[in-house]
Amino acid sequence: MFEPNEILTTLTGRGLVTAEGCETVRVRYRVVVERRQGGLFAYGDLHGSHAGLRPIWLEPDAQLRLKTGRRLDISLTDLVGDTAEFESTGAVGAL
């Protein structure tokens, strides 16, 4: 049995964020993986260039490539300076 909204792991590292029609942005990331009703969910923050992150923030769909090579479908939900917050938009498997 598991607890609702149980945090399973927190990942940190350097990766890349991409979105269709936007330049790739190098970022430092913190990803929190949580078990919620219905499956796994990820959210966290990215630190990178504001000029690079802003066009991605305006797009509904983006992708974060982790240092392991694993890709996570995300949407940037907030951008303040060089820090963006995101949440997963697709299935989150074993990270």
Side-chain angles (χ1 to χ4, degrees), residues 11 36 41 52-53 56 62 78:
L11 307 169
R36 293 187 183 172
F41 183 77
L53 289 170
I56 294 173
D78 197 14

Side-chain angles (χ1 to χ4, degrees), residues 11 14-15 29 31 64-71 95:
L11 307 169
R14 294 182 186 273
Y29 61 81
V31 179
L64 170 62
R65 189 171 75 194
L66 305 176
K67 65 183 176 185
T68 61
R70 172 85 163 76
R71 294 179 185 267
L95 297 176

Side-chain angles (χ1 to χ4, degrees), residues 3 12 22 24 32-33 46 51-52 56 59 65-66 74 85 87-88 95:
E3 296 294 320
T12 59
C22 299
T24 299
V32 178
V33 180
L46 307 170
I56 294 173
E59 292 296 319
R65 189 171 75 194
L66 305 176
I74 63 171
E85 294 178 356
E87 56 187 40
S88 61
L95 297 176

Side-chain angles (χ1 to χ4, degrees), residues 41-62:
F41 183 77
Y43 61 91
D45 51 66
L46 307 170
H47 300 280
S49 154
H50 178 83
L53 289 170
R54 189 170 192 289
I56 294 173
W57 176 57
L58 297 173
E59 292 296 319
D61 300 313

Side-chain angles (χ1 to χ4, degrees), residues 8 11 14 19-20 22 29 32 34 37 40 44 46 51 69 71-72 86 89-90:
L8 301 177
L11 307 169
R14 294 182 186 273
E20 189 172 328
C22 299
Y29 61 81
V32 178
E34 189 174 276
Q37 186 175 5
L40 298 179
L46 307 170
R71 294 179 185 267
L72 184 61
F86 70 90
T89 59

